[in-house]
């Protein structure tokens, strides 16, 4: 009898993963993609994470995997374990590098942590050692690095001429991991890598560029974003490099974990509902209005925003439009944090309209579920958006996205044109270019659609029936791993 081929071993390297530690969509992807890959039966996936306190306390079945040494000489315990969702994890337990609680990249005042360069260089080098086989442990066939925090891993493997395939995924090209040239003296890479064709970027070390240059494959999180970043106006300084590697660049659309974002079984919402019977959504809306002290007499839609409050997300445009939304009978419930000026502008609008606007600064995962379940529409006016996950979660909960036509938003939301409304294909309201007038036109269009109950309900039917799970993206990644 022929021996069945062994499964490829995939090591995902990232700085965060749901449900252990999360600041954004990266954690959702790293928490779900490996499980979807394993479900195919073709590979065995493990996630390599920094040993932040939230990671160490969240793991179960913890065992010593190996011992290692960080670049600063600190001892490192590599610990294996699992999450409550079944994700296999190896964590780098090293208090001098990762033993701080809170945001994994920033201090309490929002400034970057001074030791980030050395910490994530050590993290990348440790990942490369694990991928090659550390101690008596078996190595991995593929190292799949996510974003700049893992970008140097490809350089370490290339220098070592290790027989490990490398894949580097860009989740957001704007975050580039730039550090002073002096960092190179501390991270055990030869000076030859510090050149235009290496990881040098304007006389700085770029961890992101390392991933772009030294990986066998580059992916990003939507097909449209893969095209956008090869254009000078959207390439954040790397368009030429990405064009030169276009044959090795793929756009693979993100999915959402449909066991986590599922209104039929969601314990965080007031009343469950499904694609075949979403009558419970109205109950969730009333419960949300009660919870936030919003008037139930509003005649227009309840909008939500669940986002980082930044210019990239286009949310500096929204506060000036809130008086108009309230005047039309609309409401807004926001969850997010970021730019202090944007935060203050939203808070001022809440002070003017406490019965119609609720602003919550911060992030709360259960509350995000409640907002998705109770809102009528979600505002996502991003200036650029690699993929976006909130619009995928929103449609899953029958909440209509109001989005700009950029990146992954363009790939996932079908705008409500006369034709798409007539044939029942519309899943959202879209606009371009990004600016206050076009955003207001989209909001105005949303009010008109909401007022036409048969049309609005049909849009909900179409949106809530979309399948943005991980099955198809997992197949795309498998094709890369085996190429």
């Amino acid at each position: 009898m022929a021996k069945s081929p062994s499964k490829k071993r995939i090591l995902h390297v990232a700085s965060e993963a749901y449900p252990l530690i999360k600041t954004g969509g990266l954690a959702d992807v790293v928490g779900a993609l490996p499980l979807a890959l394993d479900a195919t039966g073709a590979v065995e996936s493990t996630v390599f994470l920094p040993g932040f306190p939230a990671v160490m306390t969240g793991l179960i079945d913890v065992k010593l995997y190996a011992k290692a040494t960080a670049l600063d000489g600190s001892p490192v315990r590599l610990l294996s374990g699992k999450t409550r969702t079944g994700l296999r994890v190896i964590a780098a337990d090293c208090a001098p590098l990762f033993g701080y609680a809170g945001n994994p990249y920033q201090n309490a005042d929002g400034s970057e942590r001074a030791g980030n360069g050395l910490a994530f260089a050590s993290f990348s080098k440790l990942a490369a050692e694990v991928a090659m086989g550390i101690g008596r442990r078996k190595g991995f066939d593929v190292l799949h690095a996510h974003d700049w925090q893992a970008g140097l891993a490809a350089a370490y493997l290339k220098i070592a001429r290790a027989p490990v395939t490398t894949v580097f995924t860009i989740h957001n090209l704007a975050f580039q991991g730039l550090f002073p040239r002096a960092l190179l003296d501390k991270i055990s890479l030869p000076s030859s890598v510090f050149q235009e064709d290496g990881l040098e970027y304007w006389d700085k070390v770029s961890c992101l560029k390392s991933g772009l240059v030294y990986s066998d494959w580059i992916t990003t999180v939507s097909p449209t974003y893969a095209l956008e970043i090869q254009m000078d106006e959207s390439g954040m300084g790397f368009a030429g490099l990405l064009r030169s590697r276009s044959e090795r660049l793929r756009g693979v659309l993100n999915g959402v974990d449909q066991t986590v974002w599922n209104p039929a079984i969601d314990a965080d919402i007031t009343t469950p509902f499904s694609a075949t019977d979403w009558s419970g959504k109205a109950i969730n809306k009333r419960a949300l209005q009660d919870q936030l002290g919003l008037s139930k007499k509003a005649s227009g839609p309840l909008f939500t925003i669940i986002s980082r409050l930044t210019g990239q997300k286009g949310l500096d445009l929204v506060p000036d439009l809130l008086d108009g939304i309230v005047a039309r009978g609309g409401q807004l419930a926001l969850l997010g944090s970021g730019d202090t000026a944007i935060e203050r502008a939203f808070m001022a609008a809440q002070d003017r309209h406490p019965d119609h606007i609720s602003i919550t600064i911060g992030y709360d995962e259960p509350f995000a579920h409640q907002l998705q379940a109770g809102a009528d529409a979600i505002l996502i006016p991003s200036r650029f958006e690699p993929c976006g996950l909130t619009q995928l979660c929103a449609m899953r909960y029958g909440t209509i996205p109001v989005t700009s036509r950029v990146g992954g938003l363009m790939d996932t939301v079908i705008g409500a044109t006369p034709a798409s409304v007539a044939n029942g294909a519309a899943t959202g309201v879209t606009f371009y270019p990004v600016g206050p007038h076009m955003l207001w036109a989209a909001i105005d269009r949303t009010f008109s659609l909401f007022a036409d109950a048969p049309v609005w309900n049909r849009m909900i039917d179409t949106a809530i029936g979309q399948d943005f799970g991980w099955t198809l993206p997992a197949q795309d990644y498998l094709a890369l791993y085996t190429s």
Side-chain angles (χ1 to χ4, degrees), residues 278 376-377 394-395 398-402 413-417 420-422 424-430 445-446 448-450 452-466:
W278 45 267
D376 297 302
M395 286 187 278
T399 297
I400 300 301
V402 181
V413 180
I414 300 172
T417 65
S420 65
V421 169
T427 60
V429 180
T430 64
R445 172 76 166 144
T446 305
S448 298
L449 292 165
F450 182 80
D452 189 336
V455 168
W456 187 258
N457 290 342
R458 192 174 183 187
M459 287 180 66
I460 294 176
D461 276 332
T462 305
I464 204 170
Q466 300 297 301

Side-chain angles (χ1 to χ4, degrees), residues 123-194:
F123 173 63
S124 293
K125 187 171 188 296
L126 291 166
E129 292 172 0
V130 170
M132 289 186 286
I134 190 168
R136 296 183 179 181
R137 296 288 184 174
K138 183 180 178 181
F140 288 77
D141 300 294
V142 177
L143 183 147
H144 187 158
H146 297 263
D147 263 354
W148 73 263
Q149 295 89 347
L152 290 175
Y156 287 114
L157 289 172
K158 185 68 72 175
I159 295 301
R161 299 184 179 180
V164 179
T165 299
T166 48
V167 178
F168 181 71
T169 295
I170 307 162
H171 293 263
N172 192 332
L173 196 64
F175 300 109
Q176 302 180 352
L178 294 173
F179 299 98
R181 180 175 184 166
L183 178 67
L184 196 66
D185 299 330
K186 305 175 184 179
I187 61 176
S188 299
L189 284 172
S191 58
S192 60
V193 302
F194 195 78

Side-chain angles (χ1 to χ4, degrees), residues 260-420:
V260 175
W261 293 96
N262 184 349
I265 59 172
D266 194 335
D268 291 320
I269 67 178
T270 301
T271 299
F273 57 92
S274 68
T276 56
D277 179 7
W278 45 267
S279 57
K281 186 169 177 65
I283 299 173
N284 283 281
K285 179 178 180 178
R286 290 194 294 272
L288 184 63
Q289 289 171 320
D290 280 340
Q291 178 184 346
L292 300 178
L294 299 177
S295 170
K296 293 180 181 178
K297 297 180 180 179
S299 58
L302 170 56
F303 295 91
T304 188
I305 292 172
I306 307 168
S307 178
R308 287 183 293 112
L309 304 183
T310 65
Q312 178 218 320
K313 299 293 186 179
L315 295 176
D316 54 312
L317 303 174
V318 177
D320 288 343
L321 306 179
L322 291 177
D323 291 344
I325 288 175
V326 172
R328 289 284 301 272
Q331 297 178 320
L332 174 76
L334 177 147
L335 172 64
S337 63
D339 185 290
T340 54
I342 299 176
E343 289 181 1
R344 286 196 297 267
F346 276 110
M347 294 299 293
Q350 177 183 249
D351 291 341
R352 294 194 303 272
H353 307 289
D355 292 342
H356 290 79
I357 295 177
S358 171
I359 306 301
T360 303
I361 301 300
Y363 186 74
D364 181 308
E365 185 83 6
F367 186 40
H369 285 240
Q370 293 158 20
L371 289 171
Q372 293 283 29
D376 297 302
I378 186 167
L379 295 176
I380 313 174
S382 302
R383 289 183 169 88
F384 67 92
E385 191 63 68
C387 178
L389 295 178
T390 51
Q391 83 277 13
L392 306 183
C393 299
M395 286 187 278
R396 184 101 168 123
Y397 283 66
T399 297
I400 300 301
V402 181
T403 75
S404 51
R405 289 196 301 272
V406 298
L409 300 174
M410 180 181 287
D411 292 332
T412 55
V413 180
I414 300 172
T417 65
S420 65

Side-chain angles (χ1 to χ4, degrees), residues 67-77 94 122 125-126 129 134:
K67 293 182 179 180
T69 303
L71 288 168
D72 66 352
S74 299
V76 181
R77 293 190 310 155
C94 180
S122 287
K125 187 171 188 296
L126 291 166
E129 292 172 0
I134 190 168

